[in-house]
Amino acid sequence: MNYRFAYRIGFHPWEDAATDLPFVEKVSELFDREERGREPPYGLALDLGTGSGIWGIRLASRGWQVTGVDLVAKALRRAHERVQNAGVEMRLVHGDVTALQAAGIGHGFRLVLDTGTFHDLNSSQREAMGREVSAIAAPDATVLLLVWPKRRRPLIRGASRSEIEAAFPGWKVTDVESSHFRLPKLLELLLKPDEHWYRLRREEAERGE
Ligand SMILES: C[S@@+](CC[C@H](N)C(=O)[O-])C[C@H]1O[C@@H](n2cnc3c(N)ncnc32)[C@H](O)[C@@H]1O
């Protein structure tokens, strides 16, 4: 997917997920799990490939201190506007998910969210993203990745569980759950999203629990 071009022509169908009730409810359930037993502020959260900031803003409004990073300046301009309209605090950074440290993202993120960036990267970009996330995430961090399965289709590569595990050595997939996302019928047939949430935790943290 050429995201720069997509934003230039106003093509961003992933934003429709924000009004897809079953999808939104599932996202809330995932956030609830990471917040359980704690009081806000919940800590640092990083929204990778934040786009226009939809999900980062949700996290910020729930009491997370959120940074959103994206490669496309136009997406970030839209995110800036959305953040202002929402009346929340969210830091926006122009940077690459494969070079988070160079972008000055910081450290200690308890929640790392990716709604659709990892699964369209090539394998060396995926490895770099995994390495960078490992470097900036807190010891007890959770990573939530929204992934389409790997199959031949236009636009989005998709990723298998073993590719996710290979990109995140030292992390354990704890849960794989349907996102309940549905495209309009024709696009559903063409693109077969069959999208799932992957939840990852550091192996050490899992052993300690
Ligand atoms: C499918 S869109 C999802 C946007 C947003 N997370 C959402 O759900 O509304 C993927 C986003 O990842 C961004 N992106 C793709 N490759 C990236 C990279 N290497 N580094 C940073 N952002 C990237 C794109 O610009 C785009 O905004």
Side-chain angles (χ1 to χ4, degrees):
M1 171 78 84
N2 183 333
Y3 286 105
R4 224 168 248 119
F5 180 67
Y7 282 109
R8 195 178 314 138
I9 63 169
F11 177 77
H12 27 69
W14 46 88
E15 295 182 4
D16 297 348
T19 53
D20 178 339
L21 196 58
F23 180 89
V24 173
E25 281 174 355
K26 184 66 197 176
V27 173
S28 290
E29 187 189 310
L30 296 175
F31 293 169
D32 287 345
R33 177 159 58 194
E34 305 313 325
E35 294 163 3
R36 199 158 297 140
R38 296 175 184 257
E39 293 294 324
Y42 295 115
L44 301 181
L46 179 60
D47 184 13
L48 295 169
T50 189
S52 65
I54 293 171
W55 305 106
I57 290 170
R58 300 249 166 160
L59 282 171
S61 64
R62 294 172 69 109
W64 291 84
Q65 279 171 271
V66 186
T67 298
V69 58
D70 206 286
L71 205 51
V72 179
K74 179 154 188 203
L76 288 172
R77 283 198 294 277
R78 298 181 69 240
H80 185 68
E81 206 176 302
R82 209 187 273 276
V83 167
Q84 283 196 320
N85 291 340
V88 296
E89 298 262 319
M90 176 171 160
R91 179 178 164 230
L92 294 167
V93 176
H94 191 199
D96 195 312
V97 298
T98 65
L100 295 170
Q101 296 174 98
I105 287 293
H107 293 90
F109 291 92
R110 276 202 55 237
L111 179 58
V112 179
L113 177 71
D114 168 12
T115 53
T117 299
F118 175 86
H119 72 166
D120 198 36
L121 300 178
N122 66 34
S123 59
S124 61
Q125 290 172 317
R126 285 173 182 180
E127 273 173 35
M129 175 173 149
R131 239 186 350 261
E132 292 287 307
V133 167
S134 297
I136 57 84
D140 65 341
T142 296
V143 175
L144 294 173
L145 296 178
L146 188 59
V147 175
W148 291 13
K150 190 184 171 90
R151 60 176 69 129
R152 286 175 71 83
R153 66 160 79 76
L155 298 178
I156 299 295
R157 277 192 180 94
S160 64
R161 178 178 179 137
S162 56
E163 286 172 329
I164 295 169
E165 287 167 340
F168 286 86
W171 294 75
K172 181 177 175 340
V173 173
T174 64
D175 302 87
V176 183
E177 295 160 280
S178 171
S179 78
H180 305 304
F181 178 64
R182 279 272 167 278
L183 284 167
K185 212 165 191 165
L186 197 63
L187 277 180
E188 183 78 29
L189 280 173
L190 183 70
L191 297 177
K192 299 186 175 58
D194 187 22
E195 185 179 78
H196 284 76
W197 283 106
Y198 284 75
R199 179 177 184 267
L200 292 88
R201 302 259 306 153
R202 291 192 198 267
E203 278 165 0
E204 281 162 34
E206 281 301 287
R207 273 197 295 272
E209 273 181 5

